[in-house]
Amino acid sequence: MLWLNIRDDFSENSLFSRMTFVYWTTGTWTFFALFGCLLLFNTHLANLRKELRVSSYSLFAYFTAVTGVLVPIDMFWTLLYIPVTYWTTNLEPSGAIFFAFFACVFLNVIVMQALGLSIAAVFLGTHNAFTFSISLVTFFFG
């Protein structure tokens, strides 16, 4: 943890600390969600090709199953991380602002996870996927 109990004055003096905490949290969950999905299709590619050859199931069913498994896992860790860090840092003692912050981070995780899955599906080579993802995140934060 970078901060414990940001100043209680809620004035312009503590604005930088609050802003950097929000930026840090957003960046952390951007990287976790995006890079957590990049190796997924490479690990299952051989089995997926065999099962698609014999028409065991459709590609849509595979993508739906993978997404259905990954989303709750990342949401679980987000659900644990956000309340602990938000209330420990005393970012703003308001329930409405907490839920707005939680919704923004939650939406960020879902979007970055979807982006990571699409990048992993397009670039089946691990190095290409990581290179493209790092360039994309640099573009987002640049």
Side-chain angles (χ1 to χ4, degrees):
M1 273 242 205
L2 296 177
W3 299 270
L4 287 176
N5 200 1
I6 295 175
R7 289 183 232 132
D8 289 338
D9 58 357
F10 301 111
S11 67
E12 198 172 324
N13 296 332
S14 65
L15 181 65
F16 181 73
S17 297
R18 295 173 196 288
M19 185 177 63
T20 53
F21 170 73
V22 171
Y23 185 75
W24 175 264
T25 302
T26 305
T28 299
W29 284 105
T30 296
F31 284 109
F32 281 160
L34 181 65
F35 291 122
C37 298
L38 291 180
L39 297 175
L40 183 72
F41 296 126
N42 287 331
T43 58
H44 301 138
L45 190 60
N47 289 337
L48 178 64
R49 285 186 177 160
K50 287 179 193 176
E51 292 174 0
L52 287 175
R53 256 186 235 127
V54 294
S55 299
S56 298
Y57 54 85
S58 67
L59 193 58
F60 176 74
Y62 173 74
F63 285 129
T64 304
V66 166
T67 305
V69 168
L70 285 179
V71 169
I73 291 171
D74 279 347
M75 292 307 119
F76 173 74
W77 291 114
T78 307
L79 188 65
L80 288 178
Y81 180 83
I82 296 300
V84 169
T85 57
Y86 184 89
W87 296 112
T88 303
T89 58
N90 194 22
L91 190 62
E92 181 73 35
S94 168
I97 294 175
F98 166 74
F99 286 115
F101 178 67
F102 184 76
C104 288
V105 173
F106 198 74
L107 182 64
N108 183 30
V109 168
I110 290 173
V111 168
M112 288 299 137
Q113 193 173 45
L115 192 62
L117 286 172
S118 63
I119 291 170
V122 170
F123 298 104
L124 291 177
T126 306
H127 299 294
N128 294 338
F130 275 106
T131 303
F132 183 77
S133 297
I134 289 171
S135 301
L136 190 67
V137 169
T138 303
F139 175 73
F140 286 160
F141 283 109

